[in-house]
Amino acid sequence: MATRPSSVHGIADQATDSSAFEYTARAGFAASGALHLLLGYIVLQLAFTGGGGNADQSGALATLAGQTGGKIALWVAAIGLVALGLWRIAEAVIGSKPGERTGAKDDNPAWKRAQSLGVAVANFAIALSAARFAMGSGQSSSQQNAGISAQLMQSGWGKALLIAVGLGVLAVGGYHVYKGVSQKFLDDLRVSGGTAIVATGVTGYAAKGLVLAGAGLLVIIATLQADPSKSTGLDAAVKALGQAPFGKFLLVAAALGIAAFGVYSFMRSRFGRM
């Protein structure tokens, strides 16, 4: 008879020994891929028609909710993303890829565990948004961000917090670019690469990183100028691209890059190390 886990590490280890749990978590990568493809489509519409909805995750979720069977797809996405978030928490606890049990003592640094926790929080947030859109109560991320930013800009500590958030998003964007250009994303896969995987990974990570970095920079600028309308996240960053010289070209490039990240996410769902 198996002994019950007596520690958080043991609970995480036992939970991730479930094939069903692993496959559900892998579905989270596929859900992320679908949302990025929809986001790419929205940005492409923005480039050619000036419309298409909010150019962020909430816009992708709203687009999905409006399709036949969209609410069911949203619940499936929410479940997959929650499972992926829980898997990331297990990864932070165990300190390595839970599905790769070598028996060797793990020595992963604290920053990698913190990174796993940060990704888990992001997965949970998107899952919550998907559930809300499935229930018909979803809201635009850009409107929520602008409202929160307006409140925080009323005080000195609030402005300091916004600048810290902007710097954090800028750093995350920079890391995405680095991970793409250096092909570090291949470390997340069980396969050595291939033309399609490398092309979509490099393009996707670099494009998403640049958009995230732009969003972080806009948060900082908006705070310094006390203009909440510029502090709306990805939507503001993408629309700022459209207003720049050669804006249509930049939007098309961003759309293709974000879509490439979506395709890579599907590949990671199949070949990702867990």
Side-chain angles (χ1 to χ4, degrees), residues 113-134:
R113 296 173 188 263
Q115 183 184 52
S116 294
L117 287 176
V119 174
V121 171
N123 286 324
F124 290 146
I126 300 172
L128 178 60
S129 294
R132 285 177 173 171
F133 274 98

Side-chain angles (χ1 to χ4, degrees), residues 206-220:
K208 184 174 181 180
L210 289 173
V211 173
L212 284 172
L217 185 60
L218 282 177
V219 169
I220 296 172

Side-chain angles (χ1 to χ4, degrees), residues 153 163 166 214-227 230-231:
M153 287 179 189
I163 290 177
L217 185 60
L218 282 177
V219 169
I220 296 172
I221 294 173
T223 303
L224 295 176
Q225 296 180 347
D227 185 359
K230 294 180 180 178
S231 183

Side-chain angles (χ1 to χ4, degrees), residues 48-225:
F48 290 106
T49 68
N54 291 316
D56 53 23
Q57 293 285 6
S58 67
L61 292 170
T63 300
L64 184 56
Q67 307 304 310
T68 302
K71 290 186 177 181
I72 295 175
L74 285 170
W75 281 117
V76 172
I79 292 171
L81 288 166
V82 167
L84 184 56
L86 291 173
W87 192 277
R88 291 302 191 194
I89 290 178
E91 185 174 277
V93 171
I94 295 173
S96 62
K97 298 295 183 184
E100 300 178 357
R101 293 172 173 81
T102 62
K105 182 179 178 180
D106 179 78
D107 58 354
N108 270 14
W111 72 268
K112 283 192 175 182
R113 296 173 188 263
Q115 183 184 52
S116 294
L117 287 176
V119 174
V121 171
N123 286 324
F124 290 146
I126 300 172
L128 178 60
S129 294
R132 285 177 173 171
F133 274 98
M135 293 185 290
S137 59
Q139 294 181 316
S140 165
S141 296
S142 59
Q143 292 178 352
Q144 293 182 61
N145 291 340
I148 294 172
S149 296
Q151 292 179 358
L152 290 174
M153 287 179 189
Q154 301 303 313
S155 64
W157 69 266
K159 290 180 179 179
L161 178 60
L162 281 173
I163 290 177
V165 169
L167 289 172
V169 175
L170 185 60
V172 171
Y175 177 74
H176 271 67
V177 173
Y178 163 74
K179 190 172 182 177
V181 173
S182 65
Q183 299 185 20
K184 285 288 186 181
F185 58 86
L186 292 175
D187 294 340
D188 297 326
L189 305 177
R190 296 180 296 177
V191 293
S192 58
T195 302
I197 291 177
V198 171
T200 54
V202 170
T203 304
Y205 268 101
K208 184 174 181 180
L210 289 173
V211 173
L212 284 172
L217 185 60
L218 282 177
V219 169
I220 296 172
I221 294 173
T223 303
L224 295 176
Q225 296 180 347

Side-chain angles (χ1 to χ4, degrees), residues 23-52:
Y23 292 144
T24 307
R26 287 184 181 278
F29 284 123
S32 176
L35 292 179
H36 279 88
L37 287 175
L38 285 172
L39 180 54
Y41 172 70
I42 291 171
V43 176
L44 202 60
Q45 280 189 306
L46 185 63
F48 290 106
T49 68

